[in-house]
Amino acid sequence: MKTIKSIIGGATLLLAAGTAALAARTDLVVGVVLEPPHLDPTASAAAAIDEILYANLFQGLTRIGRNGEVLPALAESWEVSDDGRTYTFKLRSGVTFHDGTTFDAEDVKFTLDRARAEDSTNAQKQLFAAIDTVEAVDPTTVKITLSAPQGSFLYNLGWGDAVIVAPESAETNKENPIGTGPFKFDKWAKGSSVTLVKNPDYWGEPVALEKAEFRVVPDAAAAIPALLSGDVQAFPQMPAGDALIQIESDPRFVVAIGATEGETILSTNNGREPFSNIKVRQAIAHALNREEIIAGNGSGYGTPIGSHFSPANEAYVDLTGTYPYDPAKAKALLAEAGYPDGFKATLKLPPPPYARDGGQVVASQLRQVGIELEIIPVEWAQWLEQVFKNKDYDLTIVSHTEPNDINIYARDDYYFNYKNPAFKEVMNALEATADPKKRIELYQTAQKIIAQDAVNGFMFQLPKIGVWDAKLEGMWENSPIQANDLTDVRWTD
């Protein structure tokens, strides 16, 4: 009898062990290059916030899908008036924030009124400029009236800057984010990682992952061993460097080279001499060898661009020939501008490899035409404060990963300090136009204006170099929005 019991007990243990072995993992460590300055996407321009929290923890009325399409989110449906000015949203019922407070129309009104208020700290306040009034008709109905038709309104509501927050928690979201998404905040080990856990009270389809840790891995020296050891199982945007070839040949991993919305540019302070002189900016444009910059940017991938627009967009125009690489022409233009012997300037570089590595190449190219650059490495928080907020810079390199954001060139207070009434007229016409064909024409005109003005050094479209465990499914190959959406991610075994 004891023998039979032992056999049965042993079989039970083996069965349990086999079942455990077959059970799919429910935890995931995701590597990200930059740590967010805080955790409130409605109060900063830092893409690192959205990369962790968009769609995972915070949600808007609409959301941007993996193919760049506008999808329902907290609004399950909407109707648009014949004049294109009034949007009536039907909200989902039974939704709660992670702290248990109820989501309703008053939260939508609070969020949008807060974002467009005079004292708003929203980095994309312009997204909400067309809103005239927001009315909470009843708990599940919101009516938004615009001052004029806006063809991109539903798309704009899908940005991370437009996620819905509650008045009870809005002021503390920077340290303790409270949203309505399928994951909720667990902890932030500053300098190391942000951890989210599954929201058991989520209103929609439950996620497969019980826990997702976003670990800060800034460079290839740290990323490669973390991946090969299994400490990090996914890098949506991997700083692989020269090791990418090795990883591609390893069957344990998937390598997906996709597209982003990241226009990588030599940002130029148009409001500061000598960069206020268009001949100087044109000289810089002629001095840039895009192919060489792409080869030296840390990954070797990228698509050359000649304006601030993604090649993946149907309205894209190839304007790389506007100012082709021509050092002799660059020197001649500098002489015409009054700088026959060149000049000295500073180049502030944030941490990403495309900036730090690419900056060395750019400095070398500009040196060849007489422009001597002092390279100043800055941390991301310093870049946001000095460059983006205070406009204290000559030149910098950054990827603008916000979706379809050419409208930033129409903002007088934007850090480029670029002002062109003709460009603003095109943007105003675009905002008032819903017809797809006319919108494409206007986008193309806008691209040509800023290309001709050489507002910035337009270099390349940042590639999305995704690397993850081959047993993972649901990761995004492309980045139509600056997000690492884990809502469909799961382990296959």
Side-chain angles (χ1 to χ4, degrees):
M1 199 67 174
K2 279 174 85 174
T3 304
I4 294 174
K5 284 183 178 178
S6 298
I7 293 171
I8 293 173
T12 302
L13 287 172
L14 286 171
L15 180 62
T19 302
L22 290 172
R25 290 183 62 169
T26 57
D27 65 303
L28 178 64
V29 180
V30 180
V32 293
V33 173
L34 296 174
E35 180 176 32
H38 58 74
L39 302 177
D40 182 359
T42 70
S44 175
I49 303 173
D50 283 349
E51 287 175 359
I52 295 174
L53 302 177
Y54 181 86
N56 297 322
L57 188 145
F58 285 110
Q59 299 174 305
L61 291 178
T62 64
R63 60 176 294 213
I64 308 303
R66 65 173 65 228
N67 298 312
E69 71 276 32
V70 177
L71 301 170
L74 290 175
E76 62 181 18
S77 62
W78 49 82
E79 295 180 356
V80 185
S81 63
D82 292 339
D83 64 1
R85 292 183 56 230
T86 302
Y87 289 72
T88 303
F89 292 90
K90 181 65 176 176
L91 307 181
R92 298 186 190 276
S93 57
V95 178
T96 58
F97 286 90
H98 298 148
D99 60 359
T101 57
T102 301
F103 161 76
D104 58 26
E106 290 295 340
D107 296 305
V108 177
K109 177 174 172 55
F110 167 79
T111 297
L112 297 180
D113 284 348
R114 174 175 176 258
R116 65 195 185 95
E118 187 174 340
D119 61 350
S120 170
T121 58
N122 194 296
Q124 301 295 340
K125 185 178 176 181
Q126 190 68 26
L127 291 175
F128 316 99
I131 297 176
D132 189 26
T133 61
V134 182
E135 178 187 355
V137 179
D138 59 48
T140 60
T141 308
V142 172
K143 182 183 289 185
I144 301 176
T145 302
L146 308 181
S147 56
Q150 186 179 46
S152 59
F153 185 63
L154 291 172
Y155 188 89
N156 292 350
L157 291 179
W159 282 46
D161 308 83
V163 295
I164 304 302
V165 297
E168 294 88 349
S169 52
E171 296 308 313
T172 56
N173 276 336
K174 287 185 176 181
E175 296 291 328
N176 182 35
I178 302 293
T180 57
F183 292 94
K184 62 181 183 179
F185 177 66
D186 180 37
K187 60 184 177 182
W188 182 8
K190 293 190 176 180
S192 177
S193 65
V194 176
T195 303
L196 309 181
V197 294
K198 186 174 184 176
N199 173 17
D201 301 315
Y202 182 53
W203 57 266
E205 185 74 23
V207 290
L209 298 174
E210 295 285 342
K211 182 173 77 170
E213 176 191 337
F214 290 85
R215 188 175 298 173
V216 180
V217 187
D219 52 41
I224 302 303
L227 179 75
L228 296 178
S229 67
D231 287 346
V232 177
Q233 299 92 46
F235 282 91
Q237 183 64 279
M238 185 168 185
D242 296 336
L244 189 63
I245 296 174
Q246 172 194 347
I247 297 169
E248 285 178 317
S249 64
D250 193 324
R252 293 177 298 167
F253 307 111
V254 169
V255 176
I257 308 299
T260 76
E261 284 290 325
E263 290 82 24
T264 307
I265 60 176
L266 179 66
S267 302
T268 307
N269 192 340
N270 285 239
R272 177 180 291 184
E273 293 184 358
F275 309 104
S276 54
N277 187 324
I278 189 172
K279 290 187 182 294
V280 169
R281 300 197 304 272
Q282 290 172 332
I284 291 174
H286 278 301
L288 297 177
N289 183 332
R290 294 181 180 89
E291 298 296 342
E292 190 177 69
I293 294 169
I294 291 170
N297 75 17
S299 71
Y301 288 91
T303 303
I305 56 172
S307 189
H308 197 108
F309 217 73
S310 170
N313 193 301
E314 63 178 342
Y316 174 75
V317 181
D318 183 357
L319 296 169
T320 53
T322 305
Y323 297 107
Y325 176 57
D326 188 340
K329 181 66 174 176
K331 291 179 180 180
L333 283 164
L334 285 176
E336 290 177 29
Y339 300 94
D341 300 319
F343 58 86
K344 294 181 179 180
T346 59
L347 175 63
K348 292 188 174 180
L349 299 176
Y354 69 75
R356 295 280 171 90
D357 296 342
Q360 299 292 334
V361 179
V362 168
S364 175
Q365 292 177 356
L366 294 191
R367 189 180 306 118
Q368 293 175 26
V369 301
I371 301 174
E372 292 287 338
L373 296 182
E374 176 191 357
I375 292 178
I376 304 175
V378 293
E379 294 306 310
W380 189 240
Q382 292 176 296
W383 188 93
L384 289 170
E385 180 69 20
Q386 296 175 16
V387 179
F388 189 79
K389 181 179 178 182
N390 294 330
K391 308 180 185 67
D392 180 17
Y393 78 107
D394 292 335
L395 299 167
T396 186
I397 293 177
V398 71
S399 279
H400 280 258
T401 56
E402 295 84 3
N404 204 13
D405 62 346
I406 195 171
N407 64 331
I408 57 179
Y409 289 78
R411 303 179 192 176
D412 285 341
D413 61 345
Y414 207 66
Y415 80 103
F416 304 149
N417 280 319
Y418 171 66
K419 298 174 177 63
N420 185 328
F423 183 85
K424 289 182 184 178
E425 287 181 14
V426 173
M427 285 295 102
N428 289 336
L430 183 67
E431 285 294 287
T433 302
D435 179 75
K437 185 177 179 180
K438 291 180 180 178
R439 288 179 63 82
I440 288 175
E441 292 173 356
L442 289 165
Y443 272 130
Q444 293 178 341
T445 299
Q447 291 172 65
K448 293 171 184 176
I449 291 174
I450 60 173
Q452 289 291 341
D453 281 352
V455 182
N456 293 308
F458 302 110
M459 300 192 301
F460 64 93
Q461 198 72 13
L462 189 71
K464 184 180 186 300
I465 304 174
V467 180
W468 50 81
D469 192 296
K471 295 177 181 178
L472 271 178
E473 65 178 19
M475 297 290 293
W476 283 23
E477 180 174 326
N478 299 312
S479 288
I481 193 166
Q482 49 192 30
N484 296 316
D485 186 337
L486 301 182
T487 55
D488 291 329
V489 173
R490 64 187 68 243
W491 291 93
T492 56
D493 59 25

